[in-house]
């Protein structure tokens, strides 16, 4: 019982399709102005804030476009943002997130991409980085799962 409690209180990174809790790592000491270094990382973790104060973290892909960082959320079964994904509901309620890239944690704010020009740029960047995205985009977006794109912006000063 005590061991289970200690494990629950410690960091618990997600693992592929298994969600996690708190992310472990070292908090970045300096702001990032160009996220191109993330091209070396096929997967990262995103920690969101739940209404019951226990973080929810997921594994996702990431891409840098024009120096800005983006994360996708795919709705394979249909639905609208944010209803079909717990981490999306958390972001809609509280957009402050924590990213784990390598062993470093970054405090950021997730913003839904609604501009079509920005969306097209980001989809092109995903297709350039990931074979799977290139294959999905070959037939045009209407034949794909619904793709939600989140821009990962700096957090405003507290």
């Amino acid at each position: 019982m005590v061991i289970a409690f200690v494990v629950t209180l410690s960091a618990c990174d997600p693992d592929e399709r298994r969600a996690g809790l708190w992310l472990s790592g070292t908090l970045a000491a300096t702001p990032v102005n160009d996220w191109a270094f993330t091209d070396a990382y096929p997967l990262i973790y995103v920690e969101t804030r739940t209404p019951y104060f226990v973080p929810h973290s997921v594994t996702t892909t990431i891409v840098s476009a024009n120096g800005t960082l983006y994360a996708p959320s795919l709705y394979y079964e249909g639905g609208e943002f944010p209803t079909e994904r717990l981490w999306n509901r958390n972001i809609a309620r509280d957009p402050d997130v924590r990213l784990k890239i390598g062993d470093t944690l970054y405090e950021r704010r997730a913003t839904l991409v609604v501009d079509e020009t920005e969306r097209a740029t980001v989809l092109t960047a995903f297709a350039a980085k990931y074979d799977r995205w290139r294959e999905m985009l070959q037939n045009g977006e209407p034949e794909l799962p619904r793709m939600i794109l989140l821009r990962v912006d700096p957090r405003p000063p507290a």
Side-chain angles (χ1 to χ4, degrees):
M1 178 87 158
V2 172
I3 293 173
F5 181 73
V6 170
V7 168
T8 301
L9 291 179
S10 65
C12 183
D13 292 345
D15 183 23
E16 293 289 329
R17 296 202 177 264
R18 181 188 52 82
L21 302 172
W22 293 270
L23 295 177
S24 61
T26 304
L27 192 59
T30 58
V32 177
N33 295 320
D34 185 355
W35 293 89
F37 75 92
T38 63
D39 290 346
Y41 296 90
L43 297 173
I44 67 152
Y45 304 133
V46 178
E47 177 185 302
T48 63
R49 300 178 187 190
T50 66
Y52 43 86
F53 307 109
V54 176
H56 176 78
S57 57
V58 297
T59 305
T60 189
T61 56
I62 204 84
V63 74
S64 171
N66 300 324
T68 302
L69 194 61
Y70 296 88
S73 184
L74 303 181
Y75 284 58
Y76 286 99
E77 304 299 321
E80 296 293 322
F81 176 86
T83 59
E84 302 304 314
R85 302 272 181 271
L86 176 58
W87 70 289
N88 290 176
R89 289 192 304 271
N90 290 340
I91 286 170
R93 186 186 41 72
D94 181 349
D96 288 344
V97 297
R98 178 177 276 185
L99 308 178
K100 181 176 180 180
I101 303 172
D103 291 325
T104 306
L105 301 173
Y106 301 90
E107 304 272 331
R108 304 296 289 175
R109 175 160 287 176
T111 304
L112 183 65
V113 173
V114 294
D115 178 77
E116 289 304 318
T117 303
E118 180 180 15
R119 181 179 175 79
T121 299
V122 175
L123 290 175
T124 299
F126 270 108
K129 183 174 178 180
Y130 298 99
D131 291 340
R132 180 171 178 257
W133 279 79
R134 189 169 28 262
E135 291 168 9
M136 285 192 307
L137 293 169
Q138 280 180 340
N139 296 326
E141 196 172 344
E143 298 186 24
L144 306 172
R146 181 163 167 73
M147 295 179 184
I148 302 303
L149 299 174
L150 298 164
R151 186 178 56 249
V152 192
D153 297 323
R155 284 190 190 174

Short mmCIF file of all heavy atoms in Angstrom, two decimals, residues 3-13 21-24:
data_model
loop_
_atom_site.label_atom_id
_atom_site.label_comp_id
_atom_site.label_asym_id
_atom_site.label_seq_id
_atom_site.Cartn_x
_atom_site.Cartn_y
_atom_site.Cartn_z
N ILE A 3 3.99 1.52 -0.97
CA ILE A 3 4.73 1.58 -2.24
C ILE A 3 3.85 2.17 -3.33
O ILE A 3 4.28 3.02 -4.10
CB ILE A 3 5.26 0.19 -2.65
CG1 ILE A 3 6.33 -0.25 -1.66
CG2 ILE A 3 5.81 0.21 -4.06
CD1 ILE A 3 6.80 -1.67 -1.85
N ALA A 4 2.60 1.74 -3.41
CA ALA A 4 1.68 2.28 -4.41
C ALA A 4 1.48 3.78 -4.21
O ALA A 4 1.43 4.54 -5.18
CB ALA A 4 0.34 1.56 -4.35
N PHE A 5 1.40 4.22 -2.97
CA PHE A 5 1.24 5.64 -2.68
C PHE A 5 2.46 6.44 -3.13
O PHE A 5 2.34 7.48 -3.75
CB PHE A 5 0.97 5.84 -1.18
CG PHE A 5 0.76 7.27 -0.80
CD1 PHE A 5 -0.42 7.93 -1.14
CD2 PHE A 5 1.73 7.97 -0.11
CE1 PHE A 5 -0.62 9.26 -0.80
CE2 PHE A 5 1.54 9.30 0.24
CZ PHE A 5 0.37 9.94 -0.10
N VAL A 6 3.65 5.93 -2.83
CA VAL A 6 4.89 6.61 -3.22
C VAL A 6 5.01 6.67 -4.73
O VAL A 6 5.37 7.70 -5.30
CB VAL A 6 6.12 5.91 -2.59
CG1 VAL A 6 7.42 6.43 -3.18
CG2 VAL A 6 6.10 6.06 -1.08
N VAL A 7 4.68 5.58 -5.43
CA VAL A 7 4.73 5.58 -6.89
C VAL A 7 3.75 6.59 -7.46
O VAL A 7 4.06 7.32 -8.40
CB VAL A 7 4.44 4.16 -7.45
CG1 VAL A 7 4.20 4.18 -8.93
CG2 VAL A 7 5.58 3.22 -7.09
N THR A 8 2.57 6.69 -6.87
CA THR A 8 1.57 7.65 -7.32
C THR A 8 2.05 9.08 -7.16
O THR A 8 1.80 9.93 -7.99
CB THR A 8 0.24 7.45 -6.56
OG1 THR A 8 -0.21 6.13 -6.78
CG2 THR A 8 -0.81 8.43 -7.01
N LEU A 9 2.78 9.36 -6.09
CA LEU A 9 3.27 10.72 -5.85
C LEU A 9 4.50 11.07 -6.66
O LEU A 9 4.83 12.23 -6.81
CB LEU A 9 3.57 10.90 -4.36
CG LEU A 9 2.36 10.93 -3.45
CD1 LEU A 9 2.80 11.10 -2.00
CD2 LEU A 9 1.38 12.01 -3.84
N SER A 10 5.18 10.09 -7.18
CA SER A 10 6.39 10.36 -7.97
C SER A 10 6.01 10.59 -9.43
O SER A 10 4.87 10.42 -9.83
CB SER A 10 7.37 9.19 -7.84
OG SER A 10 6.82 8.04 -8.42
N ALA A 11 6.99 10.98 -10.20
CA ALA A 11 6.75 11.22 -11.63
C ALA A 11 6.33 9.93 -12.30
O ALA A 11 6.77 8.84 -11.93
CB ALA A 11 7.99 11.78 -12.28
N CYS A 12 5.49 10.05 -13.30
CA CYS A 12 5.02 8.89 -14.04
C CYS A 12 4.83 9.32 -15.48
O CYS A 12 3.75 9.75 -15.87
CB CYS A 12 3.73 8.36 -13.44
SG CYS A 12 3.12 6.87 -14.25
N ASP A 13 5.92 9.24 -16.26
CA ASP A 13 5.84 9.63 -17.66
C ASP A 13 4.92 8.68 -18.42
O ASP A 13 4.83 7.50 -18.09
CB ASP A 13 7.23 9.60 -18.30
CG ASP A 13 8.16 10.67 -17.76
OD1 ASP A 13 7.67 11.60 -17.11
OD2 ASP A 13 9.37 10.56 -18.00
N LEU A 21 1.25 10.65 -15.49
CA LEU A 21 0.89 11.71 -14.53
C LEU A 21 1.91 12.83 -14.64
O LEU A 21 2.03 13.44 -15.68
CB LEU A 21 0.83 11.12 -13.12
CG LEU A 21 -0.15 9.95 -12.94
CD1 LEU A 21 0.01 9.32 -11.57
CD2 LEU A 21 -1.58 10.41 -13.15
N TRP A 22 2.65 13.09 -13.56
CA TRP A 22 3.67 14.14 -13.54
C TRP A 22 4.83 13.74 -14.44
O TRP A 22 5.25 12.59 -14.45
CB TRP A 22 4.21 14.35 -12.13
CG TRP A 22 3.22 14.92 -11.17
CD1 TRP A 22 3.00 16.24 -10.91
CD2 TRP A 22 2.33 14.19 -10.33
NE1 TRP A 22 2.02 16.38 -9.97
CE2 TRP A 22 1.59 15.13 -9.59
CE3 TRP A 22 2.06 12.84 -10.13
CZ2 TRP A 22 0.63 14.78 -8.66
CZ3 TRP A 22 1.10 12.48 -9.22
CH2 TRP A 22 0.39 13.44 -8.50
N LEU A 23 5.37 14.70 -15.15
CA LEU A 23 6.56 14.45 -15.96
C LEU A 23 7.81 14.71 -15.12
O LEU A 23 7.84 15.65 -14.33
CB LEU A 23 6.57 15.35 -17.20
CG LEU A 23 5.45 15.11 -18.20
CD1 LEU A 23 5.55 16.12 -19.34
CD2 LEU A 23 5.47 13.69 -18.73
N SER A 24 8.82 13.88 -15.33
CA SER A 24 10.09 14.06 -14.63
C SER A 24 11.09 14.70 -15.58
O SER A 24 10.98 14.57 -16.80
CB SER A 24 10.61 12.70 -14.15
OG SER A 24 10.83 11.86 -15.26
#
